Amino acid sequence: MYDSIETADRAELRDHQSERLRSVLERAYESVPFYRDRLERAGIQPGSIDDIDAIERLPLTTSDAFRSSYPDGLFAVEWDDIQRIHASSGTTGRPKIVGYTEDDLDRWGAVMARSLVAAGVSADDIVQNAYGYGLFTGGLGFHDGGEALGATVIPVGGGNTARQIDFLRELESDALACTPSYCLYLAEALNERGVAPSSLALSTVLIGAEPFTEPLREAIEARLDVTAIDVYGLSEIIGPGVSIECSHQNGLHIWEDHFYPEIIDPETGAVLPEGETGELVLTTITKAAQPVLRYRTGDITSLTRERCACGRTHARMAPITGRTDDLLIIRGVNVYPSQIEDALLAVNAVAPHYRIDCHRDDQLDRLTITVERTSDQSEPVASIEADIRTELSRALELTPDEIDVVAPGTIERTETGKVQRVFDHRNGDP
Ligand code: DLL
């Protein structure tokens, strides 16, 4: 264990949660007009909630809160106290901005260090971090956690497969952190180069940031001869480190002394009993810069509060099985179809007919965008394509693999029912 709270008695944990909820509510009410309005409208005075069980009375928060408060309306501290910013995709043009104070960054480092220990990583280990560095929380989240633990971190970042392989071999990394799809890609690249997994020191991979199935995990474990640990998190709450599996791989331990979980019925918003599947809702009970109350993650899972065989008592969530919205996660990057639509329709020569295709080729996601040009033929295709690329690069943190500009009338029209513009062939769309 990294921290004794991980095995705390549940009654003790609940006392902590109640106390922290009271304090976060007070801060949110005092410092964030958005929450003050919501609480007042719901007739709730912060002092009237004194037990964690009463959290159900608080209004739910959706990702719209980030959009309507862009960029800093959800901050509970002054800019002077913000030490770092991260961001993730919003449904349209503007990203969700997340801020951290110095204490928040320390807490994040500590929950990530705790997560790494739960996954079997120790201070003596070398962690090769192949999550992207930058606004995405994956890179710096694992980086700070590895350093807080006292491990050696190799900040190689995403991609650059030849270098990843060199480092795995020559620096003898014990753990690798990357998306599951990239992990599988790397396994194939190793195989093609004739590198036997048994010749590597690698024993653990930390896979997250996108959904994966159990067979995919098994393929990773078999091909790399490793234990593949599921790690979950989201920028709005902190980034990676909200929850992680231990070596028993029987659910992801949610660090409940910082993040309070509930499962709701996505249709009605009602809290569901333990064990039922629904939408995960999280409340940050320690975050200073930007507390988030009852946030609808959009992720589908279930919870158990039974003590794990490892001795940890915090609630465990099942691996994520899907989302309540249309978020696409492509190579670990979040993309809402509405962001693509906004960008395409900002180009004059483009008609409002398009399709988005996601394939998985050779274990790597590919994004293809097909758009119709208008009947005005004056602009050459190459220049329309260039305009589209410019608009998309403004809106997305990933470049489509292919942009196809087609003649007017080419894209199939929908006469009945809902239009389907997104074809996620990874999920079996034809
Ligand atoms: O993906 C944080 C992260 C980085 C987690 C590295 C794990 C490892 P966002 O970019 O804000 O943050 O995306 C959050 O990604 O709501 C889920 O839909 C999805 N997601 C994250 N981890 C998992 C996972 C990071 N283990 C969104 N399994 C979340 C399934 C995941 N989906």
Side-chain angles (χ1 to χ4, degrees):
M1 301 292 151
Y2 184 75
D3 195 323
S4 58
I5 191 80
E6 294 172 53
T7 52
D9 183 270
R10 285 210 61 86
E12 186 194 327
L13 193 55
R14 288 191 80 76
D15 284 347
H16 265 300
Q17 290 173 328
S18 297
E19 192 187 311
R20 290 177 169 182
L21 178 66
R22 284 194 291 271
S23 133
V24 80
L25 262 183
E26 234 153 70
R27 279 187 293 112
Y29 186 87
E30 289 306 323
S31 320
V32 188
F34 171 85
Y35 286 120
R36 179 193 293 250
D37 283 359
R38 304 282 308 280
L39 292 171
E40 277 177 355
R41 261 189 277 141
I44 297 170
Q45 286 295 315
S48 67
I49 304 278
D50 58 0
D51 189 278
I52 192 73
D53 285 329
I55 198 167
E56 293 182 22
R57 289 179 44 214
L58 303 178
L60 293 159
T61 305
T62 66
S63 59
D64 263 356
F66 283 83
R67 186 169 49 185
S68 61
S69 316
Y70 178 89
D72 57 359
L74 295 178
F75 286 2
V77 298
E78 299 297 325
W79 270 94
D80 272 359
D81 296 319
I82 298 283
Q83 195 159 70
R84 196 195 293 162
I85 289 293
H86 282 281
S88 78
S89 305
T91 44
T92 51
R94 290 167 163 174
K96 299 176 195 121
I97 300 286
V98 287
Y100 303 74
T101 63
E102 189 179 353
D103 286 347
D104 288 335
L105 290 175
D106 287 346
R107 273 188 286 268
W108 190 15
V111 288
M112 276 307 295
R114 191 196 283 188
S115 302
L116 290 169
V117 170
V121 178
S122 76
D124 302 332
D125 283 341
I126 299 179
V127 180
Q128 182 162 327
N129 186 9
Y131 281 112
Y133 280 67
L135 288 173
F136 175 56
T137 51
L140 285 166
F142 274 88
H143 188 100
D144 291 353
E147 287 190 353
L149 172 61
T152 306
V153 182
I154 308 177
V156 53
N160 208 337
T161 303
R163 184 184 288 170
Q164 304 277 3
I165 291 176
D166 287 347
F167 284 172
L168 284 175
R169 297 175 67 179
E170 292 152 15
L171 302 183
E172 301 185 2
S173 310
D174 302 285
L176 170 71
C178 64
T179 59
S181 51
Y182 185 67
C183 200
L184 211 49
Y185 180 82
L186 201 57
E188 296 208 323
L190 282 164
N191 187 36
E192 275 163 22
R193 287 171 174 74
V195 181
S198 55
S199 69
L200 301 175
L202 194 65
S203 61
T204 310
V205 297
L206 300 141
I207 50 173
E210 64 186 17
F212 59 91
T213 57
E214 227 18 68
L216 193 126
R217 184 216 298 261
E218 283 162 17
I220 290 175
E221 294 193 322
R223 289 184 197 185
L224 285 177
D225 190 17
V226 290
T227 305
I229 296 290
D230 189 351
V231 46
Y232 169 84
L234 62 164
S235 322
E236 297 92 306
I237 298 299
I238 198 161
V242 170
S243 66
I244 192 159
E245 288 174 333
C246 65
S247 56
H248 294 274
Q249 295 175 300
N250 57 355
L252 292 80
H253 296 268
I254 303 179
W255 303 127
E256 274 194 84
D257 49 331
H258 298 284
F259 318 109
Y260 184 78
E262 299 166 89
I263 298 289
I264 61 162
D265 176 333
E267 301 294 325
T268 64
V271 176
L272 295 175
E274 185 167 331
E276 286 194 21
T277 298
E279 180 177 355
L280 177 67
V281 167
L282 290 167
T283 298
T284 64
I285 51 176
T286 51
K287 204 152 181 238
Q290 202 178 16
V292 183
L293 305 179
R294 300 196 80 207
Y295 186 67
R296 295 187 64 157
T297 63
D299 293 316
I300 306 286
T301 180
S302 62
L303 293 182
T304 170
R305 292 188 175 80
E306 259 175 45
R307 180 191 283 264
C308 178
C310 71
R312 291 181 178 83
T313 49
H314 295 216
R316 279 170 290 147
M317 55 186 254
I320 304 291
T321 52
R323 290 206 39 102
T324 56
D325 62 12
D326 55 0
L327 175 71
L328 293 165
I329 304 186
I330 302 168
R331 298 193 289 270
V333 178
N334 296 1
V335 177
Y336 285 98
S338 52
Q339 287 178 283
I340 297 182
E341 177 170 310
D342 266 11
L344 294 178
L345 300 188
V347 178
N348 274 337
V350 162
H353 297 290
Y354 64 92
R355 60 179 280 163
I356 300 168
D357 287 271
C358 301
H359 293 272
R360 184 160 287 149
D361 275 352
D362 209 8
Q363 310 306 338
L364 261 201
D365 296 335
R366 288 179 62 78
L367 171 65
T368 305
I369 298 176
T370 312
V371 291
E372 271 183 32
R373 59 181 307 165
T374 58
S375 46
D376 173 3
Q377 298 292 314
S378 56
E379 205 178 328
V381 168
S383 106
I384 301 177
E385 205 183 297
D387 289 349
I388 293 175
R389 283 196 185 276
T390 308
E391 288 300 330
L392 285 173
S393 68
R394 249 199 275 274
L396 308 180
E397 273 163 59
L398 125 160
T399 319
D401 300 281
E402 207 178 315
I403 295 176
D404 235 347
V405 180
V406 298
T410 312
I411 292 177
E412 202 179 326
R413 306 296 197 254
T414 312
E415 287 176 42
T416 52
K418 292 190 194 192
V419 61
Q420 185 178 4
R421 294 203 174 93
V422 180
F423 298 83
D424 195 345
H425 307 285
R426 301 169 304 178
N427 293 342
D429 277 357

